[in-house]
Amino acid sequence: MGAWELLLVGVVMLLGLCGVLVPGVPGSWLVWAAVLVWSLQNPNGLAWGVLVGATAVLLAAQVLRWQLPPRRLRESGATRRTAIWAGAGALVGFCVIPVIGSIPGFIGGVYLCERLRLGRHGDAVASTRTAMRAGGSSVLAELFACLLIVGAWIGAVIWG
């Protein structure tokens, strides 16, 4: 697979990561579809292993999301700005502390947005808790699963 094809797969994965934060967009399935196309173009054991792992991670994330509260972020007062800050925080956390850092980065992004909006620490903490209870944990689970898949794909491309 050439550099342009790899770039295209990476762009589709990035769109999928952004799609996780937007209600109604099948972001996780875009990430999976990008891995599928990549593995079909590179029929080797590593590519198929990444595809099988991606499928298992996404299925586990879907089961976990069914156990978590449904997405009702708008009712809790969360805005699109909150989703953008949370996604940016997760991405920064993912880069600073690979994979695991996306969880505190996501929550930190929600907190920072609420702190800028509300001004006080106590109000921001309360608002962050409310947002996470109202469906932020569901978004976080799906985003974390997608970041795991993207991380595995990047590792396979670099070292494979």
Side-chain angles (χ1 to χ4, degrees):
M1 184 171 239
W4 288 107
E5 289 91 0
L6 284 175
L7 181 65
L8 183 62
V9 168
V11 167
V12 171
M13 286 185 178
L14 184 61
L15 288 173
L17 287 173
C18 293
V20 169
L21 301 173
V22 178
V25 177
S28 57
W29 298 112
L30 280 173
V31 171
W32 182 82
V35 171
L36 175 67
V37 168
W38 172 73
S39 65
L40 290 175
Q41 294 295 321
N42 293 326
N44 59 30
L46 180 62
W48 288 107
V50 171
L51 178 64
V52 169
T55 303
V57 166
L58 282 180
L59 288 175
Q62 292 300 316
V63 169
L64 178 64
R65 282 187 55 212
W66 290 331
Q67 303 299 320
L68 295 172
R71 289 185 183 186
R72 283 185 243 148
L73 291 173
R74 297 275 182 239
E75 297 169 10
S76 72
T79 61
R80 287 182 190 225
R81 183 183 306 161
T82 306
I84 292 169
W85 278 93
L91 188 61
V92 168
F94 180 80
C95 293
V96 171
I97 305 170
V99 182
I100 303 297
S102 61
I103 295 171
F106 182 90
I107 297 169
V110 173
Y111 170 79
L112 184 60
C113 179
E114 295 303 310
R115 178 70 188 251
L116 291 173
R117 184 173 69 92
L118 299 171
R120 294 185 51 220
H121 170 71
D123 294 339
V125 168
S127 183
T128 301
R129 281 190 193 133
T130 302
M132 292 304 290
R133 287 182 186 142
S137 55
S138 175
V139 175
L140 178 60
E142 187 175 359
L143 185 63
F144 184 69
C146 288
L147 285 170
L148 277 174
I149 293 166
V150 171
W153 176 76
I154 289 171
V157 167
I158 290 173
W159 291 291

